[in-house]
Amino acid sequence: MRDFLLYYGMFAVYYVIAINSLYFVIMMFSFKNIIGILKSSIYSRFQALSGSEQVPPISILVPAYNEELTIIENVRSLLSLNYPRYEVIVVNDGSKDDTLQVLTREFKLEESGHMPIQPLLQTSDIRGIYHNPAYPNLYLIDKENGGKADSLNAGINLAHYPLIASIDADSLLEKDALIRIAKVYMENPEETVAIGGDIRIANGCKIEDGVVSDIRLPDKFLPMMQSVEYLKAFLGGRIGWSAINGLIIVSGAFGVFRKDYVIKVGGYREGYPGEDMNIIIKLHKYMLENKLPYRVAFCPDAVCWTQAPDSFRILGSQRRRWGRGNLKNMIEYGQHMVLRPKYKIFGMLTLPFNILFETLNPYFRITGLLALIGYTLMNMTNANVLLLYGLLNIIYGVLLGVGALLLEEIAFRRYPRIRDIVKMLFYTILMFFGYRQIGVIWRFLGHIEYLRNNNSWGTMTRKSWQADGNKNISSLEARG
C-alpha cells in the first residue's frame, strides 16, 4: 500500500512539473508576441480610425437578466465609445426585477410595433422591441426567459451589422476598446472570425457615468485574488494561445465575432453553462472541416472592466459553472476532435492540453495530494516527498504569476503605483495557500453537478457601480 501511494504521489509530482512546464512554454509565446503588440499599440493610428468610414460597423449585444443595478452605467458606457458606427442591443431575458422599467425610463424608450427582426436563429418568444429616435443606435429587446445563449441569438436576429460584440451587463468597456479590437480585425478581415478582449476586475475602481475614471486594486480579499488570477490567465495564457491559433475561449464578458460565421455554426447553444467556450469550439470545427483559412485572435489592449464576486458563495457558484461548462464541452467535442490531424493545432494540442491539464486537473491534484499525505502518515521518515509536491506547486505558480506581472508592466501599466505592483506580487504568492486549493475543489464539484444533469447557468449577485453599492445588493436566481 505504501509503495502504491508513493508511486501515485510521484506521478502527481511529475504531473505538476509537466503542466507548469507547458504553462511556461505558453507564456514564452506571450513574451515573444508582447513586444509586437506593444509596438502596434504605440505606433498604430487606431485613434484616427475612430472617425474613419473604413472601420466596420459593429452590433453590441448585451444579454441582461435581473441587471437593474448595473445596466444603466453599462449602457451609458457603451453609448460613449470612440467608434464611428455601431449599435447597442440590450436583450432583457425575462428579468424578474425592474431591468426593463429602468431602461425604458432612463432612455425614454417606447415599444416599436414595426421593428424588423430576421428569424436567423431560433429563440424564445419576443415580447417587444423598444427604441427612441433620440438614441438612434440603442435598441431594447424584451423576451421570454431563455438563458444567455438564447438572448445573444435574439440580439443577432436584430443586429444590422456584420460584426457582433458580446458584452456582459455588469461590465464596462474602455472608450477605445472597440476601436482597438476592430483594428485587429482590419489587419486580416477575411480570416478573422473571433477576437477576445482583456478582462480586468473593476472592484475598487471609481466609476463615473459608466466610465472607469480612477483605476485602483480591490480592497477585499476575493476580488483582489481574482485580479491577479485574471492577469495571469489573460496576459500569461491567451496571448500565447492566440499566437499559435489555439485559443479555446473568448470570454463572454467581451468578444467580437463575425456574424455570418456565428450563424453558420448555428449560433450560441442553449443549455450550455460554458456557452462562450462552446461557440469558439464550433467556429474552430467549422472552419477546419471546411478547410477555410481562419484565426481566433486576442487583443490584450482592448480592456473590459467587470465586477468580480466578493463572497465565497457566489464565487463558488461561478467556478462550479465554469467546471460544468468545460467538462460538457470536452465530452461532446473531445471525442470527435482530439488527436485528429485534420483539426490541426486545435485538435492536436489545444484540446489534449485542456483535457489533461484543465479538465482532469482536479482529480490528479486532489488524489495525488491525498496519496502523498497517506504515504507520509505511513512512513514519517519520508515527509519530504509531500514537501516537494507543495514546493513545486508554489514555486511554479509564483513564477508564472510574476511572469504575468512582467507582461503587464512591459506593455500596459494599468496600475502605475509601485505599491499596487507590490500588492499584486504579495497576492500572487498568497493564492497558493488555500485559494488555489479551494478552486480545484469547486471545479471538482462542478463536474459532480454536470453528472447530476445540472446545466443551469448558476447564481450571480450584482452590486451597483456607485461608491455606496454595498447598500444595493440583489440576489439573482438561476438563469436559463
Side-chain angles (χ1 to χ4, degrees):
M1 186 63 182
R2 279 188 299 184
D3 288 343
F4 171 77
L5 293 176
L6 177 62
Y7 289 139
Y8 190 80
M10 290 308 296
F11 165 76
V13 171
Y14 289 123
Y15 177 84
V16 168
I17 294 173
I19 185 174
N20 285 296
S21 298
L22 286 170
Y23 282 140
F24 268 113
V25 172
I26 295 166
M27 181 167 280
M28 289 304 103
F29 277 105
S30 297
F31 272 102
K32 180 183 175 185
N33 285 275
I34 198 69
I35 300 301
I37 292 170
L38 178 60
K39 288 180 179 176
S40 174
S41 176
I42 293 174
Y43 298 114
S44 76
R45 297 186 299 168
F46 72 89
Q47 290 172 327
L49 291 175
S50 62
S52 170
E53 294 183 357
Q54 304 301 318
V55 177
I58 296 181
S59 300
I60 302 175
L61 314 180
V62 187
Y65 177 75
N66 288 6
E67 305 283 0
E68 63 177 7
L69 295 178
T70 62
I71 193 65
I72 297 301
E73 281 83 358
N74 174 274
V75 173
R76 282 180 184 163
S77 163
L78 296 175
L79 291 178
S80 65
L81 294 175
N82 293 331
Y83 202 81
R85 192 150 58 105
Y86 67 100
E87 62 184 1
V88 178
I89 302 175
V90 181
V91 185
N92 178 44
D93 188 31
S95 296
K96 296 179 180 177
D97 67 355
D98 288 336
T99 300
L100 178 67
Q101 289 75 15
V102 299
L103 275 170
T104 53
R105 185 169 58 244
E106 177 70 20
F107 299 100
K108 297 181 172 53
L109 301 170
E110 295 184 356
E111 187 168 3
S112 173
H114 304 288
M115 191 70 68
I117 186 165
Q118 297 175 294
L120 300 169
L121 299 167
Q122 188 172 3
T123 70
S124 300
D125 291 341
I126 304 297
R127 297 189 293 212
I129 300 176
Y130 294 77
H131 189 248
N132 176 1
Y135 298 93
N137 59 338
L138 173 62
Y139 299 90
L140 169 61
I141 299 175
D142 181 34
K143 60 183 277 294
E144 299 287 341
N145 179 256
K148 184 177 180 181
D150 189 70
S151 299
L152 289 168
N153 288 337
I156 291 171
N157 285 343
L158 183 64
H160 301 97
Y161 299 136
L163 294 180
I164 56 168
S166 62
I167 310 287
D168 278 352
D170 64 338
S171 302
L172 305 172
L173 288 185
E174 290 191 352
K175 280 185 174 295
D176 292 329
L178 208 57
I179 198 71
R180 288 176 185 273
I181 213 167
K183 185 182 79 66
V184 173
Y185 171 78
M186 293 173 69
E187 292 170 355
N188 191 350
E190 295 299 321
E191 296 185 6
T192 305
V193 295
I195 313 167
D198 187 19
I199 311 301
R200 303 282 182 120
I201 301 301
N203 305 48
C205 294
K206 186 177 180 182
I207 313 294
E208 291 180 323
D209 293 328
V211 176
V212 176
S213 59
D214 189 15
I215 296 174
R216 289 287 182 269
L217 288 171
D219 295 324
K220 294 186 177 180
F221 174 77
L222 284 179
M224 187 57 222
M225 283 293 188
Q226 291 167 82
S227 289
V228 176
E229 199 177 25
Y230 276 44
L231 206 63
K232 183 178 164 187
F234 281 87
L235 299 187
R238 297 191 186 185
I239 295 175
W241 280 113
S242 67
I244 57 173
N245 203 25
L247 202 59
I248 196 172
I249 186 169
V250 165
S251 173
F254 178 37
V256 170
F257 303 82
R258 269 184 60 166
K259 186 174 73 171
D260 54 350
Y261 282 116
V262 171
I263 293 171
K264 284 178 181 177
V265 301
Y268 288 86
R269 186 171 170 183
E270 296 175 38
Y272 253 79
E275 78 290 330
D276 46 2
M277 176 184 284
N278 180 255
I279 191 69
I280 296 299
I281 293 177
K282 289 199 300 185
L283 286 170
H284 277 291
K285 187 170 183 288
Y286 179 87
M287 303 304 286
L288 289 165
E289 288 181 347
N290 289 280
K291 298 180 179 177
L292 298 169
Y294 78 103
R295 67 168 182 163
V296 177
F298 176 63
C299 182
D301 56 348
V303 175
C304 174
W305 295 89
T306 191
Q307 281 191 359
D310 61 1
S311 75
F312 280 99
R313 183 177 66 85
I314 303 303
L315 182 60
S317 174
Q318 181 196 63
R319 298 307 165 92
R320 293 198 304 276
R321 170 164 55 82
W322 289 1
R324 291 198 306 273
N326 185 71
L327 180 62
K328 189 176 177 68
N329 278 303
M330 290 307 103
I331 288 175
E332 294 199 5
Y333 290 94
Q335 57 183 313
H336 303 296
M337 299 176 72
V338 167
L339 299 180
R340 295 184 65 182
K342 79 173 184 178
Y343 294 112
K344 298 185 177 179
I345 289 289
F346 193 74
M348 300 298 289
L349 185 60
T350 300
L351 284 176
F353 179 91
N354 192 282
I355 292 171
L356 279 175
F357 300 121
E358 296 291 341
T359 311
L360 298 179
N361 188 336
Y363 302 97
F364 291 139
R365 283 187 183 270
I366 292 173
T367 55
L369 178 62
L370 292 176
L372 287 176
I373 292 173
Y375 171 74
T376 302
L377 291 175
M378 289 182 178
N379 188 349
M380 298 301 293
T381 60
N382 278 313
N384 55 339
V385 180
L386 179 61
L387 184 63
L388 173 66
Y389 180 83
L391 284 176
L392 280 174
N393 270 290
I394 294 171
I395 292 172
Y396 266 121
V398 169
L399 289 175
L400 287 167
V402 170
L405 286 178
L406 278 175
L407 285 168
E408 161 69 15
E409 280 303 290
I410 291 172
F412 307 110
R413 295 189 176 182
R414 285 294 193 287
Y415 306 100
R417 300 184 305 178
I418 297 296
R419 64 180 176 180
D420 286 341
I421 304 301
V422 173
K423 185 176 180 180
M424 284 193 287
L425 185 59
F426 173 72
Y427 275 83
T428 297
I429 299 170
L430 187 62
M431 72 161 47
F432 292 93
F433 297 92
Y435 180 79
R436 281 284 300 271
Q437 291 75 14
I438 293 174
V440 169
I441 293 171
W442 278 332
R443 275 196 282 176
F444 175 68
L445 293 175
H447 291 184
I448 292 176
E449 289 179 352
Y450 168 78
L451 296 174
R452 297 175 67 181
N453 205 28
N454 179 357
N455 288 323
S456 67
W457 204 82
T459 302
M460 285 296 292
T461 298
R462 300 287 189 246
K463 289 185 177 180
S464 168
W465 286 111
Q466 305 304 317
D468 61 345
N470 288 340
K471 299 175 181 176
N472 301 313
I473 300 175
S474 172
S475 297
L476 306 185
E477 299 178 2
R479 173 178 186 165

